[in-house]
Amino acid sequence: DVKVTQSSRYLVKRTGEKVFLECVQDMDHENMFWYRQDPGLGLRLIYFSYDVKMKEKGDIPEGYSVSREKKERFSLILESASTNQTSMYLCASDRDRSSYEQYFGPGTRLTVT
Amino acid sequence: TQLLEQSPQFLSIQEGENLTVYCNSSSVFSSLQWYRQEPGEGPVLLVTVVTGGEVKKLKRLTFQFGDARKDSSLHITAAQPGDTGLYLCAGGPARQLTFGSGTQLTVLP
């Protein structure tokens, strides 16, 4: 079974702090994704990566950056957290460029106060 | 931008009832996935459909992809409390799925 793990289930940070969310997958998947999920808005893609050191902007990249130094690990960085970044953050991976199926981690519930 | 609309947004039924939820778009999708998400957890993939008209069954769940590949439905027979969750459809080319906003299903014992 594919396993995607996220570093924290719950985080509380203060406005202006730098926040790191980490994601690790154990199935040698090429593609990795970061989404945020908000009530009524569904899942929105922040960034994705299809290879080590490669990244592409999703629909809502503003205020976020990412890092992929190793194939199995994809980090989401909030340079200066703001209250409107309070959300559920979901990491996902899929096998390769032909794959349709994404596998999700358990999510990180981030609260910025 | 491709959009997926799911209906109903909320559904509350009694154990043993049947139900159908829908996922519709004006765009053609190369594939469509259904996920179930429980509170505080990430979505879990249930099924992928890729061929227009395709029907897949997973125990009491039946998934259908529309002939024109613009819509899909999920039918649950004899719903159980364990079916409670947020059902999400997602479609599109590989690498960049579009997600619907989901149907929140509650099955009451």
Side-chain angles (χ1 to χ4, degrees):
Chain A
D1 284 350
V2 176
K3 191 167 184 181
V4 180
T5 56
Q6 294 184 228
S7 51
S8 304
R9 296 297 300 271
Y10 300 94
L11 273 180
V12 180
K13 296 292 182 179
R14 293 192 180 276
T15 301
E17 281 192 82
K18 191 168 186 176
V19 181
F20 293 88
L21 302 181
E22 294 201 327
C23 175
V24 177
Q25 51 92 6
D26 67 357
M27 286 302 291
D28 201 35
H29 282 181
E30 287 186 5
N31 304 324
M32 296 187 75
F33 307 82
W34 276 107
Y35 294 89
R36 62 178 285 176
Q37 184 177 29
D38 301 287
L41 297 177
L43 272 73
R44 293 180 290 168
L45 181 64
I46 305 171
Y47 269 96
F48 67 101
S49 168
Y50 54 87
D51 202 352
V52 175
K53 297 192 186 294
M54 303 300 288
K55 61 184 179 184
E56 298 239 2
K57 293 180 180 180
D59 299 321
I60 52 164
E62 296 78 19
Y64 303 95
S65 62
V66 291
S67 172
R68 193 167 181 202
E69 297 295 320
K70 293 185 177 182
K71 189 175 184 179
E72 68 271 18
R73 190 179 297 268
F74 192 34
S75 301
L76 179 69
I77 303 152
L78 287 66
E79 296 289 342
S80 178
S82 63
T83 55
N84 63 12
Q85 292 178 310
T86 291
S87 187
M88 169 71 109
Y89 289 88
L90 292 163
C91 175
S93 71
D94 72 31
R95 188 183 66 242
D96 55 38
R97 65 177 61 226
S98 66
S99 172
Y100 300 116
E101 300 168 341
Q102 295 186 9
Y103 295 87
F104 285 83
T108 296
R109 172 71 65 184
L110 173 67
T111 302
V112 183
T113 62
Chain B
T1 304
Q2 296 178 308
L3 293 175
L4 280 168
E5 293 191 0
Q6 291 190 242
S7 61
Q9 190 176 357
F10 298 96
L11 185 58
S12 181
I13 61 170
Q14 293 293 134
E15 182 176 2
E17 291 183 0
N18 301 333
L19 65 113
T20 302
V21 297
Y22 300 93
C23 175
N24 295 296
S25 175
S26 58
S27 304
V28 174
F29 287 96
S30 53
S31 71
L32 201 134
Q33 289 77 41
W34 283 94
Y35 294 80
R36 180 169 65 213
Q37 184 177 19
E38 298 185 10
E41 300 293 333
V44 175
L45 180 67
L46 296 174
V47 77
T48 297
V49 285
V50 297
T51 305
E54 183 176 3
V55 177
K56 281 193 174 180
K57 291 192 175 185
L58 186 67
K59 296 184 181 178
R60 294 176 295 100
L61 279 60
T62 302
F63 304 86
Q64 184 161 10
F65 202 12
D67 290 342
R69 291 187 289 131
K70 293 183 179 181
D71 55 86
S72 180
S73 63
L74 159 59
H75 181 79
I76 301 179
T77 303
Q80 299 177 359
D83 295 326
T84 292
L86 179 67
Y87 288 81
L88 295 163
C89 64
R95 282 196 187 173
Q96 197 155 3
L97 296 180
T98 297
F99 283 84
S101 57
T103 292
Q104 180 64 53
L105 172 65
T106 303
V107 182
L108 303 169

